[in-house]
Amino acid sequence: MMKNTFYSALLSLTALFACQSVLAQDFSTTVFDGPDKPVITSAPSHRIPALAQTSDGALLGVADYRYGLSDVGVGSNPSRIELWYKRSSDMGLTWTDHQVVSKRSSSRTNWKYAMGDASLVADRESGEVLLMCAAGCVSNGASTAANPIKIGCFRSQDNGQTWDDGEELTNQIYGLFGGDATAIFITSGRLCQSRYIKVGSHYRIYAAFPVRTASRGNSTGVIYSDDFGREWHLLGMDEAFPEGTVYEEGKVEEMPDGSVALMVRDDNGTKGTDYAEKNFNVFHYTDVEKGEGVWSTALSGITGMANACNSAFILVPARRTADGKNVYVMLTTVPFHTKCIRDVENNYGRKGVGFYYKEVTSPADYDSGASLAASWQQGYQVTQLCSAYADMQLLTDGHVGLFLEDNGRQGTGTDGNKETEAYDIVYYHLSLSTITGGRYEADLSYDGHDDYLGIAVPFNLTARPMHMFDVQGRAVSPEVPTGIVVGNGKKFFTGRYPGAGGVSTP
């Protein structure tokens, strides 16, 4: 009996060390298989990946299961769509069998007729997970104020193992625009949870969305919630949209000082070749608790691709290998293909997804849309195959988890265009070193928040009144403060960075 126990323990240790050895390396796993057909016109398929790491360390992967290939509400016979999910307890090596978040309704008047394009966030302090989705029987393109594309949400209290019956948030979120919004589409993939801001019951979360309005035009908006998605607020867009921000799918990331970076897919160039970019903007708080602040002017960067696609956008604490200096590295993914042609070979430019990265060493690297858009470098190419949407998470083991539409099946879609309409959803477990060609390694012990708080003041404080105090609690004028000052609970130096002198303006 003791011999059997010894060998069982030995086998368990051997398996553990083998698992750890694999996790230290890069690997990939197909999580959802696409249909194995050369020409796809009606076969069910997977699209639109969303990935989260829950508080128990498990990975949660969600994707559309599309019975008719098309997006929510598209066509005279809109596709039925369900949200399927799987979990992994070993950092993506193996995954559970799929389960369905919620059974769909057969009624076209019910918001659960189709549920797709999931966005996802797992609360870091509990087992709660929030999933938001596009829903209903009206497409984004056909949406009106009277008959809009709908917004649904589901919650899990056990790290994504089971889900509630869901609720519709259409009226609440459209209501933020006072009846002016005609279409709102919460962007799929990662919802951003703040690492630093906790005003309500949970750390603040952010969501980006393209929005069409009757009187203000079209743009990409950002909303935030301090109670994990039960009540939402506009982030600095109450009266006007940020200048230069394009209308498309967007992603949000929190910067080291708590500022909010927005990256938007920009496909507004001349279709043909090399027309797609990423559009960048940044929001700086003047009052964190009230969600007040200033958006910069947006600017596009990362040029040269044929299709920008919806992709992830994350910030990684890192160490530069050349000199060991701690920095941050921003990551996103794009298709590297350069021909935007709707045929089997070029797949509308959705092919050959890989990484772009950007080093961040001070707030000057992100204090405006222009600075955010600058100095991106091409990194590791993940695949040569037809590939498109991606989601991404920085994992607790220091690797980057990428959830990617890959190995696209080529054929004629329901809209008649000869391009990929179905993909495998593949999980990639990658090191920052691989992604950046050895230039950086992830360093989860690094947190420059306190340092960055003291050097980012990229807006005119006198333009929005703020009561400011020195570190001894004495009131000071924002026009002529010296040294370190405190305003609205945030610590500032008087310049944009040490030695800048004076309060700077955009």
Side-chain angles (χ1 to χ4, degrees), residues 72-301:
V72 169
V74 172
S76 58
N77 185 27
S79 176
R80 296 166 294 145
I81 304 175
E82 294 174 342
L83 292 168
W84 285 16
Y85 70 99
K86 294 185 178 183
R87 298 177 79 252
S88 172
S89 58
D90 54 14
M91 287 291 180
L93 283 172
T94 61
W95 296 77
T96 62
D97 292 337
H98 85 267
Q99 297 185 70
V100 179
V101 171
S102 178
K103 293 183 178 180
R104 52 171 301 277
S105 170
S106 60
S107 170
R108 293 195 179 188
T109 62
N110 191 303
W111 69 272
K112 289 186 177 181
Y113 177 82
M115 297 157 286
D117 286 76
S119 52
L120 199 60
V121 61
D123 181 46
R124 68 169 56 87
E125 293 189 311
S126 70
E128 189 169 6
V129 183
L130 173 68
L131 184 156
M132 301 180 73
C133 63
C137 201
V138 177
S139 70
N140 188 55
S143 179
T144 65
N147 189 25
I149 183 171
K150 300 183 186 303
I151 302 168
C153 89
F154 297 91
R155 296 179 186 279
S156 170
Q157 301 297 334
D158 55 9
N159 292 300
Q161 296 183 68
T162 60
W163 298 85
D164 66 11
D165 291 333
E167 65 175 317
E168 186 183 347
L169 297 181
T170 308
N171 290 339
Q172 182 195 148
I173 294 178
Y174 276 71
L176 297 174
F177 291 90
D180 197 39
T182 59
I184 293 176
F185 187 85
I186 304 296
T187 301
S188 65
R190 173 179 176 264
L191 297 173
C192 175
Q193 184 171 37
S194 173
R195 296 177 290 275
Y196 311 117
I197 299 173
K198 187 176 183 182
V199 174
S201 60
H202 296 69
Y203 279 89
R204 182 166 290 178
I205 60 174
Y206 302 93
F209 55 94
V211 53
R212 297 199 308 272
T213 66
S215 66
R216 292 168 52 179
N218 307 333
S219 188
T220 299
V222 176
I223 51 178
Y224 71 93
S225 173
D226 289 322
D227 57 8
F228 213 64
R230 291 167 177 84
E231 183 177 358
W232 292 91
H233 312 274
L234 287 174
L235 186 70
M237 300 180 180
D238 301 86
E239 299 177 359
F241 292 125
E243 183 179 351
T245 300
V246 300
Y247 167 76
E248 252 299 355
E249 294 164 312
K251 289 291 178 64
V252 172
E253 178 59 296
E254 183 183 52
M255 303 310 291
D257 65 345
S259 299
V260 180
L262 172 65
M263 181 189 74
V264 184
R265 167 185 169 185
D266 186 357
D267 289 332
N268 291 318
T270 302
K271 288 181 171 57
T273 60
D274 298 352
Y275 80 95
E277 301 174 319
K278 294 292 188 182
N279 185 255
F280 294 93
N281 208 342
V282 63
F283 178 85
H284 297 282
Y285 281 105
T286 56
D287 191 317
V288 171
E289 185 172 350
K290 295 180 180 178
E292 295 177 351
V294 180
W295 283 98
S296 177
T297 298
L299 188 71
S300 290

Side-chain angles (χ1 to χ4, degrees), residues 255-259 282 284 328 330 358-372 446 448-458 490-493 495-498 504:
M255 303 310 291
D257 65 345
S259 299
V282 63
H284 297 282
Y328 288 97
M330 302 199 76
K358 170 187 172 73
E359 180 182 282
V360 173
T361 59
S362 81
D365 293 319
Y366 61 82
D367 65 359
S368 67
S371 59
L372 259 178
Y446 173 59
H449 176 60
D450 288 342
D451 295 332
Y452 277 64
L453 268 182
I455 57 181
V457 189
K490 291 189 69 175
K491 180 175 63 178
F492 299 99
F493 282 97
R496 184 170 300 194
Y497 43 84
S504 60

Side-chain angles (χ1 to χ4, degrees), residues 4 30 41 108 112 161 275 329 380 427:
N4 288 340
T30 298
T41 56
R108 293 195 179 188
K112 289 186 177 181
Q161 296 183 68
Y275 80 95
V329 177
Y380 177 67
Y427 172 77

